[in-house]
Amino acid sequence: MTQDRDVGAPLRVGAKLKHARLRLGLKLSEVGERVGVSEGYLSKLENNRSLASMATLHRLVETLGMNMSELFADSSEDELPMTVIRSGNRPKLLTGDPGTGNQIALERLVPGSPGQLLQVNIHVIAPGGGNVEPIRHDGQEFGFVLNGSVELTVEKHAVKLNEGDSFHFNSPLAHSYRNTGDTEARILWVNTPPTF
């Protein structure tokens, strides 16, 4: 599959979230109770009028029986035995609130598809931003800091990582991260399986 489409704008995932909720026969109030957010907030997410934090989005896709890969999934099919995503044409998912500084952009390097074993993104984190609410899920994770510096916390053990540093941990351990520098940080991040 080749992907040479213009994706300058962030992904609009509201329709996918709404479809998953309706497929399960759930009301906004039921999903909100399970995820720990209001019905109104979920409505805004489904209508692409708000952005969820990484932790909220993780709880939401888990509640809906999905994973993050499905939010990036493209229905186009090709006969080629490879995928190519051109620089500047990566699907991008924004999470968090830019006003509070916790916004993260996930640039998808490998599009999601059934049976895929890897999830590969570049996490782009503004200075002071990050995923400050710890999350946990199945799998393992690997990261390589491309630019900037971040503090990675796994099970309350924090370590500062700089450009060129790499890390690995088991995903069921509570983990979070934040940009501790004064410039944008970029991390090549690999999850297997693509549960988040």
Side-chain angles (χ1 to χ4, degrees):
M1 170 174 17
T2 60
Q3 299 207 348
D4 288 323
R5 59 189 175 101
D6 179 22
V7 289
L11 291 176
R12 297 172 57 87
V13 300
K16 290 181 182 182
L17 296 172
K18 183 174 185 175
H19 176 74
R21 177 180 61 79
L22 294 174
R23 190 182 70 228
L24 294 172
L26 297 173
K27 297 178 182 175
L28 282 170
S29 58
E30 294 171 311
V31 174
E33 187 176 314
R34 294 179 190 181
V35 175
V37 297
S38 73
E39 182 177 340
Y41 179 66
L42 284 177
S43 177
K44 286 181 180 181
L45 292 176
E46 287 185 356
N47 290 293
N48 297 306
R49 292 192 323 247
S50 187
L51 299 171
S53 70
M54 288 278 278
T56 299
L57 194 55
H58 180 265
R59 289 191 310 270
L60 181 57
V61 297
E62 186 174 60
T63 296
L64 296 174
M66 310 171 64
N67 63 49
M68 292 290 281
S69 294
E70 292 177 68
L71 298 179
F72 287 97
D74 187 354
S75 60
S76 66
E77 293 295 325
D78 239 337
E79 300 291 327
L80 296 177
M82 71 182 103
T83 301
V84 175
I85 300 177
R86 304 284 181 201
S87 177
N89 285 342
R90 296 182 188 120
K92 188 184 305 181
L93 177 66
L94 295 179
T95 68
D97 178 4
T100 61
N102 71 340
Q103 190 167 48
I104 300 168
L106 302 179
E107 294 182 10
R108 189 65 163 204
L109 298 178
V110 177
S113 63
Q116 194 164 336
L117 300 177
L118 292 176
Q119 179 178 346
V120 186
N121 298 305
I122 295 176
H123 291 220
V124 182
I125 311 116
N131 178 34
V132 295
E133 185 179 347
I135 59 173
R136 57 178 78 224
H137 48 90
D138 290 334
Q140 294 186 343
E141 305 189 30
F142 163 82
F144 179 82
V145 181
L146 300 168
N147 302 97
S149 58
V150 296
E151 180 181 81
L152 173 67
T153 303
V154 178
E155 289 294 316
K156 300 182 182 178
H157 297 281
V159 63
K160 183 172 180 174
L161 301 166
N162 296 304
E163 183 174 323
D165 292 341
S166 63
F167 58 86
H168 169 265
F169 59 89
N170 291 320
S171 305
L173 301 174
H175 53 281
S176 62
Y177 60 91
R178 65 185 181 91
N179 181 343
T180 57
D182 54 7
T183 61
E184 178 181 89
R186 297 173 60 84
I187 306 170
L188 174 66
W189 205 296
V190 180
N191 293 59
T192 186
T195 54
F196 179 65

